[in-house]
Amino acid sequence: MIVSILVAMSENRGIGVNNRLPWRLPADMKRFRRLTMGHHLIMGRKTFESIGKPLPGRQMIVITRNTRYRPNGCQIAHSLDQALALAENRGETEVFIIGGADMFSQALEVAERIYLTRVHAFVDADIFFPKFDEDNWVVRASEYHPADEHNEYAFTSQVLDRKP
């Protein structure tokens, strides 16, 4: 099973503000949907609550310390290792870690791939993607998207694979 991180971050590494995305990029959301459809998504409780509901066509695993937390339509895990094992035991071929910052920090140690959207803007944020050594990763694909009437900022979609 491939362990992948899926994240959009600004030039200042911002990924969220007030538990929401700090931009409107429908083209990136279409990419998110295309990549994740039919797969397991792993996220922390706050990320799930910012989404507000299970996403159709995907299995959601929420990581929380609260043993009584039971959101409808989701599976619960109490650690990243437990969440990964749950996805793997269900036959997953590629699992996506989608946030928040703490989940990304943990996942950077085990991820084999990062689907990274680099938002070409400096935004106000209160949650940031952790620093990582980009020399340990190779860019397998990169596609630039200009800002337009639908997408607030220009951005570049990339696929990074961990170097062997």
Side-chain angles (χ1 to χ4, degrees):
M1 175 178 77
I2 299 169
V3 177
S4 295
I5 291 172
L6 180 55
V7 63
M9 74 173 179
S10 66
E11 299 287 348
N12 56 326
R13 307 185 81 72
I15 60 174
V17 62
N18 298 322
N19 215 24
R20 300 180 54 141
L21 292 174
W23 45 70
R24 182 167 154 61
L25 299 172
D28 189 52
M29 295 307 291
K30 286 179 186 172
R31 177 180 185 245
F32 176 93
R33 180 179 170 89
R34 179 179 49 79
L35 288 169
T36 62
M37 190 57 68
H39 291 282
H40 286 75
L41 307 181
I42 296 174
M43 71 214 72
R45 177 191 53 81
K46 289 179 188 175
T47 297
F48 173 72
E49 290 176 354
S50 74
I51 295 169
K53 63 181 180 186
L55 297 174
R58 288 152 279 195
Q59 299 294 316
M60 298 181 74
I61 302 172
V62 180
I63 299 177
T64 180
R65 291 180 201 92
N66 182 344
T67 58
R68 294 183 295 209
Y69 188 72
R70 298 275 182 250
N72 288 335
C74 298
Q75 299 200 15
I76 295 299
H78 301 293
S79 70
L80 180 58
D81 287 342
Q82 185 182 30
L84 292 171
L86 184 59
E88 189 165 37
N89 290 340
R90 297 186 71 199
E92 182 59 81
T93 58
E94 183 173 17
V95 65
F96 293 88
I97 291 106
I98 64 167
D102 186 51
M103 289 298 104
F104 289 140
S105 290
Q106 294 177 48
L108 278 168
E109 297 177 22
V110 298
E112 301 158 66
R113 182 169 294 150
I114 301 174
Y115 294 92
L116 176 60
T117 298
R118 295 181 187 269
V119 180
H120 301 301
F122 287 84
V123 299
D124 288 330
D126 54 17
I127 303 292
F128 297 87
F129 193 76
K131 292 183 179 177
F132 67 104
D133 188 350
E134 293 193 41
D135 289 339
N136 293 331
W137 300 83
V138 60
V139 177
R140 296 284 182 213
S142 186
E143 182 178 353
Y144 176 79
H145 303 267
D148 60 25
E149 65 273 6
H150 302 292
N151 296 281
E152 184 176 11
Y153 301 113
F155 63 94
T156 300
S157 302
Q158 295 183 314
V159 179
L160 287 68
D161 285 338
R162 186 181 298 275
K163 290 180 181 175

